Amino acid sequence: MLIAINRYKLLGGRCMLSIDKNSFKRDYNNKFVQLHGKELKEGSNQQKYEALGSLVRDYVISTWMETNNKYNQTGEKQVYYFSMEFLLGRLLGDCLLNLGIRDICKEALSELGINLEEIENLEHDQGLGNGGLGRLAACFLDSMASLNIPGHGCGIRYKYGFFEQKIVDSQQVEASDNWLREGNVWEIKKQDKCEIVKFGGSVISGEVDGKLTFTHVNYEPVLAVPYDTPIVGYENEVVNTLRLWSAEPVSNEFDFSSFSRGDFIKAISYKNSVEAISLVLYPEDSFYEGKMLRLKQQYFFVSAGIQSIVRHFKKHNGNIAIFDEKIAIHINDTHPTLAIPELMRILLDEEGLSWETAWRITQNTISYTNHTILAEALEKWPVDMFKNLLPRIYMIVEEINRRYCEELWNKYVGQWDKIARMAIISDGYVKMANLAIVGSHSVNGVAKLHTEILKKREMSDFYYLYPSKFNNKTNGITHRRWLLKSNPKLTSLLKETIGDSFIKHPTDLENFKNHLDDPNVINRLGEIKKYNKENLAKEIYKSNGILVDTNSIFDVQVKRIHAYKRQTLNCLRIMELYNNLLENPNLDIIPRTFIFAGKAAPGYYLAKNIIELICRVAKTINNDKRVNDKIKVVMLENYNVSLAEDIIPATDLSEQISTTTKEASGTSNMKFMMNGAITIATLDGANIEIKDEVGEDNIIIFGLNAEEVLNYHKNGGYSAWDIWNKDKRLQRVTDDLINGKYCSDIDRFRSIYENLLTYNDEFFVLKDFDSYLKAQERVNQLYIDKNKWQKMCGINIAHSGIFSSDRTIKEYATGIWGSTVIYKNL
Ligand code: 26V
C-alpha cells in the first residue's frame, strides 16, 4: 500500500519533493497495479495517465493536509476567490513542475518505456470557463499558492464544461464537453462537508425577546456537495484548495411522500431540476440573459461557499465579530455578488448580529473586480424572478437598497435620475454591479485604461460617491505555466544566460536585455522559435491537413470570437492581401501563415458568421495555386488552454486589435510577449502597459486612441460610408463579402457586410483599416532584418516579468485583502 508522506527536501536552495528515480518507478508500478488490477505492460496509455495522476495526487496529499493544519493553527487571514469560472486546463504538467519532479518523472517513465508528454496529452482539459475571466482565476490560484498566500477558489463543478467546438463545412458545431467521462484523478469528494442551499418558499417573520426573526419555510432544499482539488505552489510546500460545488437532491431516494401518492413524475423532476444547477457552464461571456437557471447557479455556489467558510471559521476561531479580520472574499465580476446578501443573512439570522455590525463585517470582507464595460454584459435580475427564487435574500437586498437610497436622497437632493441610476433596485430589476459596489470595500478594474474608464465614465457616479473604493490591478499570467511549462527551450536559454532567479522573481527577466547583443543568444532565440513553429506546424497538419511554411511569419489571433475583438478587421486585410497577390502574382512579400482559433457563443450569430468567413477565406486562398503558398490561412478548432500552450510559443506576431476601450485588459497579449512574439495592437487594455514597458520601437501600434473612440461615442460624427467611399481597397474587400468570391451563397456574409456599412460599423473596423494595413507593412519591414526582429523579441521577453500574475496577486494581497502574508523564499 502506498503511503502518502511529506517528502520535501531543500536542494541547492530549492524546496522540492524528494524522490529518487527508483522509488518513483516502484511507486508508479504499485500504483498502476492497485488502480487497474493488471500489469503495467498490459495497460493502455489512458490507464498509464490515470496511474501517474493519482500517484502525483498521493504525493501531494500530506502537504495539502499540513498546509490546512498550519492555516488552522496560525489563524492567518484566508482569502476566498469566488468565481463562476476556473479555466484550469491540464493539471499534471503543472503539478510535476511545481513539485520540482518533472525531470525525474520523465526519466523514470522513459526507463519504463513510457513517454511522459504522450501520456500528459491524454489528460482532459478542465475547461470550466469561457475565456479571460476564467483563465485569470486559474492563474491567480497558482500565484496565491506559489506566494504562500492562504488563498482558495470557490466555484461550480459543472458536469459539462465549455462546449467542444467542431468545424464542419466551415461552420462551428457545438458538442458537449464531457470532461468527467474518464473520471478526474485530481478531485476529492468531501461528503462530510456538504451544505444545504434553499430555493423558493416564503419567509415568516416573528419576534423573539424583542428581536425580529425570519424563518424560511416551504423551500426546495438542494444538497451542495464539495469536490476539492489541490493547488500546488511552486517548490514551497504549500498546497491550497479549489473547492467546486456539485448540486444533488438532498436524498438520493425519491421523495417518498410524492412517490407514494403515485406522483412519480414529480419526484423525478425534482431530481432533474436539482441536478440541472451544476450541469453545464453557460457559454456566453458578453451577453447577459436573465435566465433563472443562471441565477440559481449563482446563489447555489455562493451560499454553499459562504456557509462552509462561516462553519469552518467558527470551528477554528469562534468569534464571529472578527470574521472580517480573518477572512477576505473576492468576487470575480458580478456573478458571485449574492455573497453580499448571503453573508448578511447568515450574520443576521443565524448569528444574531445587528444590521450595523453585519453590514460593517460584510463590506470589510468583500471586494469586487469588474472585467468588462460592455453594457450588454451587465447583470440585472427581474425583481419577480429574484423574489420568488430567493425570498429572504430579496428582503435583505431591499433593506440594503432602502438604507443606501436614504443616503443618496440626503446627498443628492432632488436628483432623481441620478438616484435611480445608482439604486440597487430600480426599473423592476436588481442591478448586480450596483450591489457589488455598495456592499464591498474595494472595486478594481483590470488594466489602467479600464480602471480610468470605470472611474470617469461607466461608474463615475459611484466613483464620486466612494472614491477610495476604486483602484486598479493590472492583470497578469502565471509565468510557470505560460513560460516554464509551455516553452521549455526558451526557459533553458533564459536559465543559461541570466540564471534561474527569474522563476521566483519574474522581473529579473530584465537581465536578459544584457544578452541581446550576443549573436549567439539572438541565434538561439531564432532557433527556439523555429523549433516551436515546427511543432505547431505538425499539429496544424494533423488537425487541418494544411502544410505551412515554418519560415513564414506566424501571425496569430486566438481568443473568443467577438465583434469588438475584430477578427473581421484581420480577415479583411487578408482578403486585401489576396487581392493584391491576384493582381500581381510576382508581388514580393514575406510569406505569412495566418492562424486563428476561438469559439463563438452558440447564440451569437455574427460571431459564428465570422468563423465561417475565416474558414471560407482559408479554403479559397489555400487552394489557389496563383498564391503560390505565399500565404496560408488556418482556423484551428476547439481553442482551449492546451492548444494555447502549443500556439503561443510558436507565434511571431500577436494580434491584439480590439476596438480601443472595449478590451478591459486582455491576457493573451501578455502570454505572447513572454514567449517572444511581437505585438501589433491598438492602444487598448493592457496593450498600453505593454507598450510602456517595451517602448514604442518594440511594439506596433495603430488605430484610434481611447479619446477618439470616446469622442465618437459621445458626439457621434462617424460615418462608415464616408470612409468606404474614399477607399478603393475597402470597397473591393467589402464587395467580396457579397459577390460570391468566398461562398457561392452570396448572402452568406451579408450580416457582416451590413454591420460594417448599413449599421455604421459599431467597432470602427473601416476607420482603422488603413492604419492597420500600414502597421502590417511596418511588420514586414521589421521582419526583413531577422536579427533586429529577434532582438525585439528578446526585449519583449525581458520586459514581460511585470505581467506575471505574482505581481498582480501581491498587489491584491497587500492593497485589497490585507493578507497576513509571509513571502517565504521570495
Ligand atoms: C460575462 C457574462 C455576461 C452574462 C452572461 C454570462 C457571462 C459570463 C462571463 C462574463 C464575463 C465576461 C467578462 C470577461 O471575461 N472579461 C474579460 O476578462 C479578462 C480578465 O480580466 C480581461 O483580460 C478581458 O479583457 C475581458 O474581456
Side-chain angles (χ1 to χ4, degrees):
M1 187 66 192
L2 193 82
I3 316 164
I5 41 164
N6 188 0
R7 297 193 278 209
Y8 273 82
K9 66 173 176 202
L10 265 173
L11 210 99
R14 295 170 60 190
C15 169
M16 40 208 236
L17 199 75
S18 156
I19 183 105
D20 64 70
K21 205 165 53 182
N22 286 332
S23 6
F24 181 87
K25 276 174 28 187
R26 202 184 47 238
D27 288 351
Y28 182 64
N29 231 317
N30 288 343
K31 184 79 211 182
F32 188 93
V33 172
Q34 277 175 7
L35 200 63
H36 300 300
K38 59 170 151 181
E39 294 291 322
L40 180 57
K41 59 178 186 300
E42 290 162 10
S44 67
N45 275 353
Q46 178 64 33
Q47 290 170 326
K48 287 174 189 163
Y49 157 72
E50 281 161 22
L52 182 59
S54 53
L55 173 63
V56 172
R57 200 198 68 184
D58 286 350
Y59 284 157
V60 161
I61 293 273
S62 50
T63 317
W64 197 3
M65 285 159 45
E66 276 165 24
T67 305
N68 282 328
N69 289 340
K70 189 191 114 206
Y71 291 161
N72 293 337
Q73 281 155 16
T74 58
E76 281 172 82
K77 191 168 192 177
Q78 302 291 306
V79 177
Y80 296 93
Y81 197 80
F82 275 44
S83 177
M84 285 282 266
E85 307 189 7
F86 287 94
L87 192 44
L88 297 185
R90 293 186 180 129
L91 295 182
L92 177 58
D94 235 32
C95 255
L96 292 175
L97 179 86
N98 285 5
L99 292 171
I101 58 168
R102 198 182 157 119
D103 293 341
I104 290 244
C105 170
K106 193 175 155 89
E107 253 180 70
L109 288 175
S110 145
E111 288 175 20
L112 294 169
I114 298 170
N115 178 324
L116 173 61
E117 275 100 26
E118 224 169 82
I119 63 169
E120 261 176 349
N121 288 342
L122 292 174
E123 179 175 356
H124 204 299
D125 265 48
Q126 191 159 327
L128 307 185
N130 271 284
L133 166 138
R135 183 55 232 174
L136 186 76
C139 285
F140 281 5
L141 292 181
D142 183 72
S143 282
M144 288 192 288
S146 297
L147 293 170
N148 307 301
I149 293 172
H152 316 279
C154 176
I156 299 175
R157 180 182 180 268
Y158 301 102
K159 185 168 177 201
Y160 297 98
F162 195 23
F163 68 84
E164 281 193 19
Q165 177 198 53
K166 302 243 180 331
I167 306 278
V168 180
D169 274 343
S170 298
Q171 289 182 9
Q172 167 174 299
V173 175
E174 300 92 23
S176 61
D177 168 40
N178 194 357
W179 69 288
L180 290 165
R181 192 174 30 218
E182 267 104 27
N184 172 10
V185 298
W186 303 107
E187 64 185 12
I188 298 186
K189 183 177 184 176
K190 294 279 171 72
Q191 195 69 49
D192 58 325
K193 298 272 191 313
C194 290
E195 298 289 346
I196 301 275
V197 179
K198 301 173 181 174
F199 290 103
S202 51
V203 178
I204 298 175
S205 29
E207 217 187 289
V208 174
D209 299 335
K211 245 186 152 177
L212 280 175
T213 60
F214 300 90
T215 316
H216 194 172
V217 294
N218 293 329
Y219 53 82
E220 186 179 86
V222 172
L223 189 69
V225 184
Y227 287 74
D228 288 355
T229 297
I231 304 294
V232 179
Y234 183 81
E235 296 184 358
N236 66 349
E237 263 182 286
V238 169
V239 181
N240 287 338
T241 302
L242 167 61
R243 174 162 285 185
L244 299 179
W245 298 91
S246 177
E248 288 184 14
V250 275
S251 153
N252 267 331
E253 309 306 318
F254 290 139
D255 172 351
F256 279 108
S257 59
S258 311
F259 195 46
S260 57
R261 288 198 307 272
D263 207 347
F264 178 72
I265 299 296
K266 194 173 156 204
I268 297 274
S269 99
Y270 162 66
K271 184 171 186 289
N272 285 346
S273 81
V274 165
E275 286 171 357
I277 296 173
S278 55
L279 195 65
V280 58
L281 166 83
Y282 272 93
E284 278 83 34
D285 73 342
S286 46
F287 297 111
Y288 155 81
E289 271 183 298
K291 289 267 167 64
M292 163 96 100
L293 183 58
R294 187 163 165 92
L295 183 58
K296 262 188 160 173
Q297 291 187 329
Q298 298 187 345
Y299 185 64
F300 166 72
F301 93 95
V302 156
S303 173
I306 303 245
Q307 288 185 64
S308 82
I309 291 168
V310 173
R311 197 179 306 285
H312 186 260
F313 171 81
K314 284 174 67 180
K315 189 167 156 199
H316 294 279
N317 278 276
N319 184 5
I320 199 78
I322 58 159
F323 185 81
D324 53 320
E325 289 170 33
K326 296 291 176 184
I327 306 285
I329 295 176
H330 199 87
I331 57 178
N332 198 19
D333 218 297
T334 55
H335 320 149
T337 300
L338 292 170
I340 293 163
E342 177 65 1
L343 183 54
M344 284 296 285
R345 181 188 71 76
I346 293 173
L347 297 177
L348 293 167
D349 298 357
E350 293 179 13
E351 300 303 321
L353 299 184
S354 69
W355 181 277
E356 289 71 19
T357 309
W359 186 237
R360 177 185 53 75
I361 293 176
T362 300
Q363 276 189 321
N364 286 344
T365 304
I366 309 268
S367 46
Y368 153 60
T369 299
N370 173 287
H371 293 268
T372 182
I373 59 159
L374 299 181
E376 60 272 27
L378 284 186
E379 293 191 298
K380 52 181 190 170
W381 299 104
V383 163
D384 284 344
M385 183 197 285
F386 195 115
K387 202 196 281 187
N388 288 333
L389 188 69
L390 309 167
R392 177 62 185 137
I393 293 298
Y394 185 73
M395 288 171 78
I396 292 170
V397 173
E398 249 187 338
E399 182 60 13
I400 295 173
N401 186 51
R402 193 187 64 74
R403 290 172 182 243
Y404 159 69
C405 283
E406 215 167 76
E407 258 178 63
L408 295 182
W409 290 326
N410 292 332
K411 201 170 168 91
Y412 304 119
V413 180
Q415 297 183 48
W416 300 112
D417 283 356
K418 187 182 180 102
I419 294 169
R421 259 196 331 263
M422 296 177 76
I424 296 165
I425 304 173
S426 68
D427 310 325
Y429 288 97
V430 181
K431 301 184 174 163
M432 301 309 263
N434 298 14
L435 178 56
I437 299 169
V438 175
S440 63
H441 66 279
S442 168
V443 178
N444 75 281
V446 290
K448 281 181 192 159
L449 174 68
H450 171 58
T451 301
E452 281 313 299
I453 292 175
L454 290 181
K455 292 203 297 200
K456 303 286 158 56
R457 303 222 167 211
E458 305 303 312
M459 294 181 168
S460 61
D461 290 334
F462 294 96
Y463 175 56
Y464 291 113
L465 184 63
Y466 309 120
S468 61
K469 281 195 190 186
F470 284 76
N471 62 90
N472 177 57
K473 298 283 170 281
T474 297
N475 281 165
I477 53 160
T478 167
H479 59 289
R480 286 166 289 276
R481 179 177 290 258
W482 296 107
L483 175 59
L484 307 192
K485 175 168 173 264
S486 66
N487 204 339
K489 292 239 174 318
L490 179 57
T491 304
S492 299
L493 174 63
L494 291 166
K495 282 185 190 163
E496 278 168 45
T497 47
I498 59 171
D500 59 10
S501 70
F502 72 93
I503 297 175
K504 293 253 166 166
H505 306 275
T507 47
D508 283 359
L509 282 170
E510 282 199 28
N511 296 329
F512 193 50
K513 270 203 305 207
N514 303 330
H515 298 265
L516 296 175
D517 289 324
D518 178 347
N520 266 330
V521 170
I522 293 296
N523 253 344
R524 289 277 301 280
L525 273 179
E527 281 165 15
I528 291 164
K529 187 62 80 182
K530 189 80 195 296
Y531 174 88
N532 292 332
K533 285 165 79 172
E534 267 155 19
N535 275 343
L536 180 61
K538 282 184 208 141
E539 290 302 315
I540 292 174
Y541 186 70
K542 240 199 286 176
S543 56
N544 293 35
I546 302 171
L547 272 174
V548 299
D549 172 7
T550 51
N551 288 315
S552 65
I553 299 177
F554 276 22
D555 175 333
V556 176
Q557 188 175 18
V558 288
K559 47 183 81 254
R560 285 300 290 260
I561 311 292
H562 199 294
Y564 86 78
K565 295 183 188 274
R566 300 200 296 190
Q567 281 90 358
T568 316
L569 176 61
N570 191 349
C571 206
L572 290 179
R573 67 89 192 212
I574 297 170
M575 291 157 64
E576 158 66 13
L577 180 58
Y578 178 45
N579 285 341
N580 288 340
L581 278 170
L582 293 186
E583 261 178 13
N584 179 3
N586 296 324
L587 197 69
D588 185 23
I589 62 160
I590 300 179
R592 282 210 202 195
T593 303
F594 303 100
I595 298 168
F596 293 86
K599 294 177 185 175
Y604 187 177
Y605 178 78
L606 181 67
K608 288 180 132 177
N609 207 220
I610 294 170
I611 292 181
E612 189 171 354
L613 176 64
I614 295 168
C615 294
R616 295 267 177 195
V617 167
K619 267 194 188 143
T620 309
I621 293 181
N622 298 345
N623 294 318
D624 190 334
K625 293 273 178 300
R626 296 169 293 178
V627 169
N628 215 0
D629 289 344
K630 282 183 188 159
I631 57 174
K632 285 267 166 74
V633 184
V634 177
M635 170 77 197
L636 286 164
E637 68 181 7
N638 204 34
Y639 185 56
N640 60 16
V641 173
S642 293
L643 186 54
E645 287 172 37
D646 292 338
I647 296 175
I648 291 169
T651 297
D652 294 308
L653 186 66
S654 151
E655 298 274 348
Q656 307 298 336
I657 61 176
S658 53
T659 307
T660 302
T661 73
K662 296 290 179 187
E663 189 70 271
S665 157
T667 40
S668 75
N669 44 5
M670 303 167 183
K671 297 167 195 163
F672 281 110
M673 83 179 289
M674 193 174 271
N675 282 277
I678 303 299
T679 308
I680 180 163
T682 49
L683 283 176
D684 198 15
N687 301 343
I688 299 174
E689 287 154 77
I690 293 179
K691 186 208 81 186
D692 291 345
E693 284 300 317
V694 300
E696 276 174 2
D697 291 343
N698 296 299
I699 187 168
I700 294 134
I701 299 293
F702 74 97
L704 290 171
N705 63 31
E707 214 185 305
E708 289 164 326
V709 169
L710 292 171
N711 193 38
Y712 274 134
H713 283 157
K714 200 165 156 210
N715 303 320
Y718 180 65
S719 164
W721 283 119
D722 280 356
I723 297 167
W724 188 86
N725 277 325
K726 288 185 208 129
D727 191 330
K728 287 264 160 344
R729 301 162 306 179
L730 269 176
Q731 291 165 17
R732 209 161 53 160
V733 289
T734 49
D735 280 354
D736 286 346
L737 291 171
I738 50 168
N739 65 11
K741 181 163 184 169
Y742 295 102
C743 182
S744 54
D745 172 3
I746 56 167
D747 286 328
R748 203 72 224 157
F749 304 119
R750 187 160 290 277
S751 67
I752 298 178
Y753 180 89
E754 297 207 322
N755 267 287
L756 292 175
L757 290 158
T758 321
Y759 303 117
N760 203 28
D761 185 21
E762 185 184 352
F763 297 104
F764 306 108
V765 172
L766 304 191
K767 179 78 187 165
D768 279 349
F769 185 71
D770 177 61
S771 119
Y772 183 49
L773 290 188
K774 288 185 175 132
Q776 291 291 1
E777 203 34 56
R778 295 208 294 281
V779 171
N780 288 334
Q781 296 311 318
L782 286 165
Y783 198 78
I784 290 173
D785 184 346
K786 287 277 170 51
N787 283 340
K788 192 165 167 213
W789 178 273
Q790 289 308 341
K791 188 167 177 183
M792 281 173 72
C793 296
I795 291 172
N796 272 270
I797 296 166
H799 284 279
S800 67
I802 189 131
F803 298 108
S804 162
S805 45
D806 288 5
R807 186 263 314 145
T808 317
I809 283 298
K810 281 184 206 168
E811 290 178 5
Y812 274 88
T814 52
I816 299 179
W817 301 329
S819 305
T820 40
V821 201
I822 316 149
Y823 292 125
K824 205 169 72 183
N825 298 330
L826 281 180

